[in-house]
C-alpha cells in the first residue's frame, strides 16, 4: 500500500574514475485522499451426509463487494514526470461457489476415500474512472482476467 514516499537508489552502469556511481530517483506521488477499503459480504451454504456419512456433500455460494478499493492509477499526461499516484478509485464485486463431494468407505481392513471439489469465482469492476473507455486499464463492467480472442474457423 503506497502510504509514504521513498527514494529508490541503485548502482548506475556508468564509470567515473573507475568506480560505479550510485543514482537515485524522485519518489512517486502519494494521494492525499488515500484511505482504507471497506467491504461487505454474505454467503450461504449447506452440508449433507448420506448412507451413514459415507457420502458427504457441501455447497457454498458467496458475494463480496469491496468499496473505495485502491485500483490502477488513472491515466495522466506524461508531463507529470513521475508515476501517477494510486487512489481509492474503484468498487469491485466478487462472487463464486464451491461444491465438495466425498465418498469414504471401508472394505474389511482397507479404508479408502474419493474426493471431488469444484469451485469458481469471478471479480467484476463495478466502478472505475475510465470515461474514455481505454482497454489498457480497468473499465466499468469488466471481469478481471477476462480473455479476449478471435476464433477463426475455416471449412475445407
Amino acid at each position: 500500500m503506497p502510504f509514504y514516499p521513498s527514494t529508490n537508489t541503485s548502482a548506475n552502469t556508468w564509470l567515473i574514475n573507475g568506480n560505479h556511481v550510485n543514482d537515485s530517483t524522485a519518489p512517486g506521488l502519494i494521494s492525499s485522499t488515500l484511505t482504507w477499503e471497506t467491504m461487505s459480504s454474505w454467503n450461504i451454504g449447506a452440508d449433507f451426509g448420506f448412507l451413514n456419512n459415507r457420502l458427504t456433500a457441501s455447497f457454498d455460494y458467496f458475494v463480496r463487494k469491496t468499496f473505495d478499493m485502491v485500483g490502477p492509477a488513472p491515466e495522466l499526461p506524461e508531463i507529470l514526470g513521475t508515476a501517477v499516484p494510486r487512489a481509492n478509485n474503484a468498487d469491485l464485486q466478487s462472487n463464486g461457489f464451491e461444491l465438495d463431494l466425498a465418498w469414504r468407505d471401508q472394505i474389511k481392513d482397507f479404508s479408502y476415500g474419493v474426493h471431488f471439489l469444484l469451485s469458481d469465482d469471478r471479480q467484476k469492476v463495478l466502478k472505475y474512472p475510465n470515461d474514455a473507455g481505454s482497454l489498457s486499464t480497468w473499465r466499468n463492467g469488466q471481469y478481471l482476467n477476462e480473455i479476449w480472442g478471435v476464433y477463426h474457423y475455416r471449412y475445407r
Side-chain angles (χ1 to χ4, degrees):
M1 207 42 135
F3 287 111
Y4 57 89
S6 61
T7 302
N8 297 323
T9 60
S10 62
N12 199 317
T13 56
W14 296 8
L15 291 174
I16 296 180
N17 295 329
N19 296 318
H20 286 281
V21 179
N22 291 333
D23 65 2
S24 63
T25 58
L29 300 174
I30 302 296
S31 173
S32 62
T33 61
L34 197 60
T35 184
W36 292 102
E37 300 174 355
T38 58
M39 66 179 62
S40 68
S41 64
W42 65 267
N43 74 324
I44 188 167
D47 297 319
F48 302 98
F50 305 100
L51 305 172
N52 290 331
N53 282 332
R54 288 184 298 173
L55 175 63
T56 58
S58 176
F59 180 78
D60 285 296
Y61 180 78
F62 74 91
V63 175
R64 181 182 71 210
K65 291 185 180 181
T66 307
F67 305 98
D68 297 323
M69 190 171 105
V70 178
E75 294 179 355
L76 292 178
E78 290 292 323
I79 197 156
L80 179 62
T82 188
V84 180
R86 297 184 66 178
N88 300 84
N89 59 4
D91 291 347
L92 188 80
Q93 176 175 312
S94 303
N95 61 321
F97 72 91
E98 181 176 290
L99 173 64
D100 186 2
L101 300 172
W103 176 265
R104 290 179 295 198
D105 206 351
Q106 183 173 346
I107 301 173
K108 295 187 182 181
D109 292 336
F110 178 71
S111 296
Y112 68 96
V114 178
H115 196 75
F116 174 77
L117 178 66
L118 178 67
S119 64
D120 188 34
D121 69 284
R122 297 177 81 181
Q123 292 77 37
K124 182 179 182 179
V125 177
L126 300 177
K127 181 188 86 170
Y128 180 74
N130 182 1
D131 297 332
S134 172
L135 298 178
S136 64
T137 188
W138 290 2
R139 64 192 183 290
N140 294 336
Q142 171 191 359
Y143 285 95
L144 298 187
N145 300 316
E146 64 189 7
I147 299 173
W148 287 21
V150 177
Y151 176 74
H152 291 283
Y153 177 79
R154 279 199 324 216
Y155 177 75
R156 291 181 186 216

